Amino acid sequence: MAAVSNLHAVEDLARRGALFVVSHSAGKDSQAMALVVQSIVPADQILVVHAVLPEVEWDGVVEHIEATMTGIPIVLAYAAKTFFEMVDHRQMFPSPKNRQCTSDLKRGPIEREVRRYLKANPRFGGLVVMCMGMRALESTGRAKLETFQLNRQNSVAGREWYDWLPIHAWTADDVFAAIAAAGQKPHWAYQAGMTRLSCCFCIMSSDADLRTAARLNPALFERYASKEEELGFTLSMSRRPLRDIARAA
């Protein structure tokens, strides 16, 4: 297994009885990160939280998490709005510079569920480690992230909250190797041609991934493409309309 970041600090928190929260999207990085956490932390100190994205996430996401996290409690976090309700309210899609989908549909609901879980399980004493699968090689922004730090915003009301990126230095090959070594497989969308797993049509997706998603999800593609035409605003990083991207296949 490739090197795990901040191992000694994390092992100390595990000995102190912290709750380790695996933020799981069902993507390859989440899956590999979860395996790392399970190799270090007792199972009764691990919680999986998945931010459900109705209508826009890949089929089988929750089932994949359940199949690969046997024996670990799983909490599903729902936002107040769906993705399309958020887009209609803002009259634009999110963008890499304004990732309201991450804050409103994922991070906010996940943190809410963690607070609820800590309140219902006082044995953890408010000590929590949020485990996330971001890797430095994914983007220049993620390369600059701290791999372990106190989350001061969430360390209130008797909580001591840390954010940890266990596989920040890993390559994609490291990730797939760890999954294979555990006798697991990645979510089916990777074998179908996707290079990343988030929303089916993600603002961070390459044009190639958007074309693959359009082929695999034609009805959802039509909904996104029609919404682009309605708003006069595209979601793609290349700033090209989805219909143009799909025609280039």
Side-chain angles (χ1 to χ4, degrees):
M1 182 180 291
V4 175
S5 68
N6 304 97
L7 185 57
H8 294 307
V10 168
E11 288 175 333
D12 180 62
L13 285 164
R15 285 191 291 268
R16 290 174 59 193
L19 173 68
F20 283 73
V21 179
V22 172
S23 179
H24 208 317
S25 68
K28 67 183 190 302
D29 297 334
S30 291
Q31 189 172 343
M33 175 271 294
L35 289 168
V36 169
V37 175
Q38 289 176 289
S39 72
I40 299 168
V41 180
D44 65 353
Q45 289 176 239
I46 302 175
L47 172 70
V48 172
V49 184
H50 170 65
V52 181
L53 303 170
E55 305 174 321
V56 300
E57 70 181 9
W58 289 90
D59 288 344
V61 161
V62 173
E63 292 81 0
H64 183 76
I65 295 172
E66 291 172 342
T68 56
M69 297 298 298
T70 305
I72 304 296
I74 299 171
V75 172
L76 302 181
Y78 290 84
K81 289 185 174 70
T82 67
F83 177 83
F84 281 107
E85 286 172 343
M86 180 191 71
V87 170
D88 285 338
H89 177 74
R90 299 179 67 240
Q91 287 295 288
M92 65 174 64
F93 286 106
S95 67
K97 291 184 178 180
N98 187 4
R99 299 179 63 177
Q100 190 173 14
C101 48
T102 298
S103 60
D104 292 8
L105 304 184
K106 297 180 183 179
R107 184 170 60 244
I110 287 173
E111 291 177 350
R112 180 197 66 216
E113 294 303 327
V114 173
R115 293 192 297 269
R116 287 178 177 173
Y117 195 86
L118 288 171
K119 185 175 181 180
N121 294 272
R123 72 183 182 91
F124 295 111
L127 183 60
V128 59
V129 181
M130 178 64 72
C131 311
M132 296 167 284
M134 285 87 88
R135 294 184 299 110
L137 293 177
E138 291 180 285
S139 69
T140 54
R142 290 192 170 185
K144 297 175 183 177
L145 293 174
E146 295 289 338
T147 58
F148 181 80
Q149 63 180 341
L150 178 70
N151 186 318
R152 298 187 183 281
Q153 181 175 342
N154 285 319
S155 293
V156 295
R159 292 189 300 271
E160 186 179 343
W161 184 307
Y162 295 89
D163 293 335
W164 179 37
L165 309 181
I167 63 169
H168 190 250
W170 286 26
T171 66
D173 286 344
D174 292 331
V175 167
F176 285 118
I179 292 171
Q184 297 180 1
K185 294 182 179 179
H187 185 275
W188 66 266
Y190 291 103
Q191 188 172 1
M194 295 296 294
T195 64
R196 64 192 312 273
L197 192 89
S198 184
C199 293
C200 294
F201 297 90
C202 178
I203 59 174
M204 304 301 292
S205 292
S206 65
D207 284 3
D209 272 356
L210 291 172
R211 282 192 289 270
T212 300
R215 173 174 55 83
L216 297 171
N217 304 278
L220 185 58
F221 166 78
E222 183 59 34
R223 186 173 182 185
Y224 271 92
S226 296
K227 183 60 68 174
E228 282 189 340
E229 291 162 354
E230 174 190 331
L231 299 176
F233 187 94
T234 183
L235 66 77
S236 73
M237 286 197 297
S238 65
R239 314 318 304 162
R240 297 167 62 203
L242 284 176
R243 293 197 195 279
D244 289 353
I245 292 170
R247 279 195 292 266

